[in-house]
Amino acid sequence: HYAALLAPLPHALARRSDLARVESSVLAVTCLRALGGVDRQVESHVFGLKKAQTAAWIASDEGCLWLLSAVDDVVDACRQSR
């Protein structure tokens, strides 16, 4: 579960909330994509990531495609090493 990562940040970290949101979305996309079979959840988190304003590249179409491709590459490498 990654729900704790999506919970509101303590007040002391509130100014980092946009960056934390991006980090949480990247982590969620990575975990769900690697899990497989949960395309709607992955899509939802990709859309959330695309709304980010503090990380323009990773929130772009190119960045999101790179993220998905990178996860797929790692998953494929893990499967081949078995």
Side-chain angles (χ1 to χ4, degrees):
H1 265 282
Y2 55 87
L5 293 172
L6 303 177
L9 292 172
H11 181 67
L13 299 175
R15 58 189 157 85
R16 287 195 62 231
S17 64
D18 283 345
L19 183 56
R21 196 170 295 120
V22 169
E23 292 169 346
S24 296
S25 291
V26 167
L27 180 62
V29 168
T30 302
C31 292
L32 292 168
R33 182 71 171 205
L35 177 65
V38 288
D39 292 339
R40 288 186 184 192
Q41 289 90 336
V42 173
E43 183 179 351
S44 175
H45 284 288
V46 167
F47 283 133
L49 181 59
K50 290 181 73 57
K51 292 179 183 178
Q53 296 180 12
T54 56
W57 183 81
I58 195 69
S60 70
D61 289 343
E62 180 184 7
C64 289
L65 289 172
W66 172 84
L67 176 60
L68 294 171
S69 177
V71 173
D72 291 345
D73 289 347
V74 170
V75 169
D76 289 344
C78 289
R79 284 186 182 139
Q80 291 175 7
S81 69
R82 288 186 189 179

